[in-house]
Short mmCIF file of all heavy atoms in Angstrom, two decimals:
data_model
loop_
_atom_site.label_atom_id
_atom_site.label_comp_id
_atom_site.label_asym_id
_atom_site.label_seq_id
_atom_site.Cartn_x
_atom_site.Cartn_y
_atom_site.Cartn_z
N GLU A 1 8.69 -47.42 -17.15
CA GLU A 1 8.08 -46.26 -17.76
C GLU A 1 9.07 -45.10 -17.53
O GLU A 1 9.28 -44.28 -18.48
CB GLU A 1 6.72 -45.94 -17.31
CG GLU A 1 5.74 -46.99 -17.73
CD GLU A 1 5.44 -46.89 -19.20
OE1 GLU A 1 5.67 -45.89 -19.87
OE2 GLU A 1 4.74 -47.90 -19.67
N LEU A 2 9.69 -44.94 -16.45
CA LEU A 2 10.55 -43.78 -16.12
C LEU A 2 11.83 -43.96 -16.96
O LEU A 2 12.40 -42.89 -17.38
CB LEU A 2 10.96 -43.73 -14.64
CG LEU A 2 9.75 -43.15 -13.82
CD1 LEU A 2 10.13 -43.10 -12.39
CD2 LEU A 2 9.35 -41.69 -14.23
N ALA A 3 12.33 -45.15 -17.15
CA ALA A 3 13.51 -45.36 -18.01
C ALA A 3 13.23 -44.89 -19.30
O ALA A 3 14.12 -44.27 -20.10
CB ALA A 3 13.91 -46.79 -17.89
N VAL A 4 12.13 -45.19 -19.95
CA VAL A 4 11.78 -44.84 -21.22
C VAL A 4 11.53 -43.39 -21.31
O VAL A 4 12.06 -42.54 -22.20
CB VAL A 4 10.49 -45.51 -21.77
CG1 VAL A 4 10.00 -44.96 -23.08
CG2 VAL A 4 10.69 -46.95 -21.79
N LEU A 5 10.94 -42.73 -20.26
CA LEU A 5 10.68 -41.35 -20.26
C LEU A 5 12.14 -40.62 -20.07
O LEU A 5 12.33 -39.62 -20.95
CB LEU A 5 9.97 -40.85 -18.97
CG LEU A 5 9.65 -39.44 -18.78
CD1 LEU A 5 8.55 -39.04 -19.64
CD2 LEU A 5 9.29 -39.13 -17.33
N GLU A 6 13.03 -41.00 -19.30
CA GLU A 6 14.41 -40.42 -19.23
C GLU A 6 15.07 -40.46 -20.60
O GLU A 6 15.88 -39.61 -20.87
CB GLU A 6 15.20 -40.92 -18.11
CG GLU A 6 14.59 -40.60 -16.73
CD GLU A 6 14.98 -41.43 -15.61
OE1 GLU A 6 15.79 -42.35 -15.71
OE2 GLU A 6 14.41 -41.10 -14.44
N ALA A 7 14.87 -41.64 -21.23
CA ALA A 7 15.51 -41.81 -22.62
C ALA A 7 15.04 -40.79 -23.64
O ALA A 7 15.74 -40.30 -24.45
CB ALA A 7 15.42 -43.23 -23.07
N THR A 8 13.75 -40.38 -23.38
CA THR A 8 13.15 -39.40 -24.24
C THR A 8 13.60 -37.91 -23.97
O THR A 8 13.54 -37.05 -24.77
CB THR A 8 11.60 -39.47 -24.21
OG1 THR A 8 11.25 -40.84 -24.40
CG2 THR A 8 10.91 -38.62 -25.13
N ASP A 9 14.05 -37.82 -22.65
CA ASP A 9 14.54 -36.49 -22.24
C ASP A 9 16.02 -36.11 -22.85
O ASP A 9 17.00 -36.30 -22.18
CB ASP A 9 14.60 -36.52 -20.76
CG ASP A 9 15.00 -35.15 -20.17
OD1 ASP A 9 15.09 -34.17 -20.86
OD2 ASP A 9 15.37 -35.13 -18.93
N THR A 10 16.06 -35.83 -24.10
CA THR A 10 17.25 -35.70 -24.77
C THR A 10 18.18 -34.60 -24.22
O THR A 10 19.48 -34.67 -24.41
CB THR A 10 17.09 -35.56 -26.23
OG1 THR A 10 16.24 -34.42 -26.44
CG2 THR A 10 16.53 -36.85 -26.90
N ASP A 11 17.65 -33.51 -23.66
CA ASP A 11 18.38 -32.36 -23.21
C ASP A 11 18.69 -32.59 -21.67
O ASP A 11 19.27 -31.68 -21.02
CB ASP A 11 17.78 -31.14 -23.55
CG ASP A 11 16.41 -30.81 -22.93
OD1 ASP A 11 15.96 -31.65 -22.15
OD2 ASP A 11 15.83 -29.76 -23.15
N ASN A 12 18.21 -33.68 -21.14
CA ASN A 12 18.45 -33.95 -19.70
C ASN A 12 17.98 -32.82 -18.67
O ASN A 12 18.71 -32.63 -17.74
CB ASN A 12 19.90 -34.34 -19.46
CG ASN A 12 20.35 -35.50 -20.26
OD1 ASN A 12 19.62 -36.53 -20.22
ND2 ASN A 12 21.53 -35.49 -20.93
N ASP A 13 16.95 -32.26 -19.09
CA ASP A 13 16.41 -31.15 -18.17
C ASP A 13 15.40 -31.69 -17.07
O ASP A 13 14.82 -30.90 -16.34
CB ASP A 13 15.91 -29.92 -18.67
CG ASP A 13 14.70 -30.32 -19.61
OD1 ASP A 13 14.28 -31.43 -19.73
OD2 ASP A 13 14.07 -29.38 -20.25
N GLY A 14 15.10 -33.02 -17.12
CA GLY A 14 14.26 -33.65 -16.17
C GLY A 14 12.75 -33.47 -16.50
O GLY A 14 11.94 -33.80 -15.72
N GLN A 15 12.53 -33.08 -17.66
CA GLN A 15 11.12 -32.90 -18.08
C GLN A 15 10.99 -33.22 -19.69
O GLN A 15 12.09 -33.12 -20.41
CB GLN A 15 10.53 -31.61 -17.83
CG GLN A 15 11.26 -30.42 -18.32
CD GLN A 15 10.85 -29.04 -17.81
OE1 GLN A 15 10.01 -28.98 -16.91
NE2 GLN A 15 11.38 -28.00 -18.35
N ILE A 16 9.83 -33.48 -20.12
CA ILE A 16 9.52 -33.84 -21.49
C ILE A 16 8.76 -32.80 -22.14
O ILE A 16 7.67 -32.43 -21.62
CB ILE A 16 8.89 -35.17 -21.66
CG1 ILE A 16 9.66 -36.26 -20.93
CG2 ILE A 16 8.60 -35.50 -23.12
CD1 ILE A 16 11.03 -36.44 -21.60
N SER A 17 9.20 -32.16 -23.29
CA SER A 17 8.47 -31.17 -23.94
C SER A 17 7.36 -31.86 -24.91
O SER A 17 7.39 -33.14 -25.16
CB SER A 17 9.39 -30.42 -24.98
OG SER A 17 9.84 -31.35 -25.95
N LEU A 18 6.43 -31.10 -25.25
CA LEU A 18 5.33 -31.61 -26.13
C LEU A 18 5.96 -32.21 -27.37
O LEU A 18 5.49 -33.32 -27.85
CB LEU A 18 4.41 -30.44 -26.44
CG LEU A 18 3.26 -30.84 -27.51
CD1 LEU A 18 2.43 -32.03 -27.04
CD2 LEU A 18 2.33 -29.64 -27.69
N ALA A 19 6.99 -31.51 -28.03
CA ALA A 19 7.58 -32.06 -29.20
C ALA A 19 8.16 -33.43 -29.01
O ALA A 19 7.95 -34.36 -29.79
CB ALA A 19 8.60 -31.14 -29.78
N ALA A 20 8.91 -33.63 -27.92
CA ALA A 20 9.53 -34.87 -27.64
C ALA A 20 8.43 -35.92 -27.39
O ALA A 20 8.60 -37.03 -27.75
CB ALA A 20 10.48 -34.79 -26.41
N TRP A 21 7.44 -35.53 -26.64
CA TRP A 21 6.22 -36.53 -26.32
C TRP A 21 5.67 -36.97 -27.71
O TRP A 21 5.44 -38.13 -27.91
CB TRP A 21 5.23 -35.83 -25.43
CG TRP A 21 4.11 -36.60 -25.21
CD1 TRP A 21 2.96 -36.58 -25.87
CD2 TRP A 21 3.94 -37.72 -24.22
NE1 TRP A 21 2.00 -37.48 -25.37
CE2 TRP A 21 2.63 -38.18 -24.33
CE3 TRP A 21 4.74 -38.30 -23.28
CZ2 TRP A 21 2.17 -39.20 -23.57
CZ3 TRP A 21 4.41 -39.35 -22.55
CH2 TRP A 21 3.00 -39.84 -22.68
N LEU A 22 5.29 -35.99 -28.50
CA LEU A 22 4.74 -36.47 -29.85
C LEU A 22 5.63 -37.34 -30.65
O LEU A 22 5.08 -38.28 -31.15
CB LEU A 22 4.38 -35.18 -30.66
CG LEU A 22 3.28 -34.27 -30.00
CD1 LEU A 22 3.11 -33.04 -30.73
CD2 LEU A 22 1.98 -34.98 -29.90
N THR A 23 6.95 -37.11 -30.61
CA THR A 23 7.85 -37.96 -31.40
C THR A 23 7.82 -39.40 -30.69
O THR A 23 7.58 -40.32 -31.49
CB THR A 23 9.26 -37.39 -31.34
OG1 THR A 23 9.29 -36.08 -32.02
CG2 THR A 23 10.28 -38.30 -32.14
N TRP A 24 7.80 -39.47 -29.41
CA TRP A 24 7.82 -40.71 -28.78
C TRP A 24 6.58 -41.52 -29.03
O TRP A 24 6.51 -42.64 -29.34
CB TRP A 24 8.11 -40.50 -27.26
CG TRP A 24 7.94 -41.67 -26.33
CD1 TRP A 24 8.08 -43.07 -26.79
CD2 TRP A 24 7.64 -41.60 -25.00
NE1 TRP A 24 7.91 -43.76 -25.62
CE2 TRP A 24 7.74 -42.95 -24.54
CE3 TRP A 24 7.46 -40.59 -24.08
CZ2 TRP A 24 7.49 -43.23 -23.17
CZ3 TRP A 24 7.26 -40.94 -22.64
CH2 TRP A 24 7.30 -42.27 -22.33
N GLN A 25 5.41 -40.74 -28.95
CA GLN A 25 4.19 -41.47 -29.07
C GLN A 25 3.88 -41.87 -30.53
O GLN A 25 3.30 -42.96 -30.77
CB GLN A 25 3.03 -40.60 -28.55
CG GLN A 25 3.11 -40.23 -27.07
CD GLN A 25 3.28 -41.52 -26.26
OE1 GLN A 25 2.48 -42.35 -26.28
NE2 GLN A 25 4.50 -41.58 -25.46
N GLU A 26 4.39 -41.04 -31.50
CA GLU A 26 4.32 -41.43 -32.83
C GLU A 26 5.10 -42.76 -33.21
O GLU A 26 4.62 -43.56 -33.94
CB GLU A 26 4.74 -40.32 -33.77
CG GLU A 26 4.62 -40.60 -35.23
CD GLU A 26 5.29 -39.49 -36.10
OE1 GLU A 26 5.24 -38.33 -35.66
OE2 GLU A 26 5.64 -39.82 -37.21
N ALA A 27 6.18 -42.79 -32.56
CA ALA A 27 7.05 -44.06 -32.73
C ALA A 27 6.34 -45.17 -32.11
O ALA A 27 6.52 -46.36 -32.62
CB ALA A 27 8.37 -43.88 -32.01
N LYS A 28 5.44 -45.09 -31.19
CA LYS A 28 4.73 -46.15 -30.60
C LYS A 28 3.47 -46.46 -31.37
O LYS A 28 2.69 -47.34 -31.14
CB LYS A 28 4.33 -45.76 -29.18
CG LYS A 28 5.45 -45.86 -28.21
CD LYS A 28 5.14 -45.34 -26.76
CE LYS A 28 3.78 -45.69 -26.25
NZ LYS A 28 3.47 -45.14 -24.86
N GLY A 29 3.09 -45.54 -32.35
CA GLY A 29 1.96 -45.84 -33.23
C GLY A 29 0.64 -45.02 -32.82
O GLY A 29 -0.27 -45.29 -33.40
N LEU A 30 0.79 -44.11 -31.87
CA LEU A 30 -0.29 -43.29 -31.38
C LEU A 30 -0.39 -42.09 -32.36
O LEU A 30 0.48 -41.53 -32.79
CB LEU A 30 -0.01 -42.80 -29.98
CG LEU A 30 -1.23 -42.26 -29.20
CD1 LEU A 30 -2.29 -43.33 -29.04
CD2 LEU A 30 -0.74 -41.68 -27.87
N SER A 31 -1.69 -41.75 -32.71
CA SER A 31 -2.00 -40.59 -33.54
C SER A 31 -1.64 -39.36 -32.85
O SER A 31 -1.65 -39.32 -31.67
CB SER A 31 -3.45 -40.64 -33.96
OG SER A 31 -4.28 -40.26 -32.85
N GLN A 32 -1.28 -38.32 -33.67
CA GLN A 32 -0.91 -37.00 -33.09
C GLN A 32 -2.07 -36.46 -32.20
O GLN A 32 -1.79 -36.02 -31.12
CB GLN A 32 -0.42 -36.06 -34.13
CG GLN A 32 0.11 -34.76 -33.54
CD GLN A 32 0.81 -33.95 -34.57
OE1 GLN A 32 0.74 -34.22 -35.63
NE2 GLN A 32 1.40 -32.81 -34.15
N PRO A 33 -3.28 -36.51 -32.66
CA PRO A 33 -4.40 -35.95 -31.75
C PRO A 33 -4.55 -36.74 -30.47
O PRO A 33 -4.69 -36.18 -29.43
CB PRO A 33 -5.60 -36.08 -32.68
CG PRO A 33 -5.20 -36.18 -34.03
CD PRO A 33 -3.78 -36.78 -33.97
N ASP A 34 -4.38 -37.99 -30.56
CA ASP A 34 -4.47 -38.82 -29.26
C ASP A 34 -3.27 -38.57 -28.38
O ASP A 34 -3.44 -38.49 -27.21
CB ASP A 34 -4.54 -40.32 -29.60
CG ASP A 34 -5.85 -40.73 -30.19
OD1 ASP A 34 -6.90 -40.06 -30.06
OD2 ASP A 34 -5.90 -41.82 -30.71
N ALA A 35 -2.18 -38.41 -28.92
CA ALA A 35 -0.88 -38.05 -28.14
C ALA A 35 -1.02 -36.73 -27.56
O ALA A 35 -0.58 -36.53 -26.31
CB ALA A 35 0.38 -38.13 -29.07
N LEU A 36 -1.55 -35.75 -28.23
CA LEU A 36 -1.66 -34.36 -27.74
C LEU A 36 -2.72 -34.44 -26.53
O LEU A 36 -2.54 -33.80 -25.49
CB LEU A 36 -2.14 -33.49 -28.87
CG LEU A 36 -2.55 -32.07 -28.44
CD1 LEU A 36 -1.23 -31.39 -27.80
CD2 LEU A 36 -2.85 -31.23 -29.55
N ARG A 37 -3.82 -35.13 -26.79
CA ARG A 37 -4.88 -35.30 -25.70
C ARG A 37 -4.23 -35.90 -24.47
O ARG A 37 -4.40 -35.47 -23.32
CB ARG A 37 -5.97 -36.08 -26.25
CG ARG A 37 -7.23 -36.00 -25.56
CD ARG A 37 -8.55 -36.62 -26.19
NE ARG A 37 -8.28 -37.47 -27.19
CZ ARG A 37 -8.37 -37.17 -28.53
NH1 ARG A 37 -8.60 -35.95 -28.95
NH2 ARG A 37 -8.08 -38.11 -29.55
N GLU A 38 -3.51 -36.88 -24.67
CA GLU A 38 -2.83 -37.55 -23.50
C GLU A 38 -1.90 -36.72 -22.79
O GLU A 38 -1.77 -36.58 -21.57
CB GLU A 38 -2.22 -38.89 -23.90
CG GLU A 38 -1.56 -39.75 -22.75
CD GLU A 38 -1.13 -41.07 -23.22
OE1 GLU A 38 -0.41 -41.10 -24.21
OE2 GLU A 38 -1.32 -41.99 -22.53
N PHE A 39 -0.98 -35.93 -23.60
CA PHE A 39 -0.08 -34.94 -23.06
C PHE A 39 -0.79 -33.97 -22.12
O PHE A 39 -0.43 -33.66 -20.99
CB PHE A 39 0.70 -34.23 -24.12
CG PHE A 39 1.71 -33.28 -23.56
CD1 PHE A 39 2.99 -33.78 -23.40
CD2 PHE A 39 1.45 -32.01 -23.37
CE1 PHE A 39 3.95 -32.85 -22.96
CE2 PHE A 39 2.39 -31.06 -22.85
CZ PHE A 39 3.73 -31.57 -22.68
N GLN A 40 -1.93 -33.43 -22.61
CA GLN A 40 -2.70 -32.52 -21.81
C GLN A 40 -3.26 -33.07 -20.70
O GLN A 40 -3.30 -32.30 -19.57
CB GLN A 40 -3.72 -31.84 -22.82
CG GLN A 40 -3.19 -31.03 -24.00
CD GLN A 40 -4.25 -30.68 -25.05
OE1 GLN A 40 -5.16 -31.39 -25.23
NE2 GLN A 40 -3.95 -29.60 -25.67
N GLN A 41 -3.69 -34.28 -20.56
CA GLN A 41 -4.17 -34.87 -19.43
C GLN A 41 -3.08 -35.15 -18.36
O GLN A 41 -3.24 -34.90 -17.15
CB GLN A 41 -4.80 -36.25 -19.72
CG GLN A 41 -6.02 -36.29 -20.49
CD GLN A 41 -6.54 -37.52 -20.94
OE1 GLN A 41 -5.80 -38.59 -20.93
NE2 GLN A 41 -7.77 -37.65 -21.48
#
């Protein structure tokens, strides 16, 4: 999971923005509302 997270960290700042998270989760087939809810958790 960390390898996937790090691949999503395109600017290499050690953290994932909401926009990057939504893009990643959409690629996995998760709806935007569900991805947003998960991000907030």
Side-chain angles (χ1 to χ4, degrees):
E1 293 287 347
L2 286 176
V4 174
L5 182 77
E6 290 167 2
T8 305
D9 181 14
T10 55
D11 62 1
N12 297 315
D13 65 354
Q15 56 189 8
I16 303 300
S17 68
L18 175 58
W21 176 262
L22 293 175
T23 299
W24 175 21
Q25 299 310 303
E26 180 182 331
K28 289 173 36 180
L30 197 62
S31 71
Q32 188 169 3
D34 287 344
L36 178 58
R37 197 169 16 262
E38 187 173 43
F39 183 92
Q40 291 168 334
Q41 290 171 350

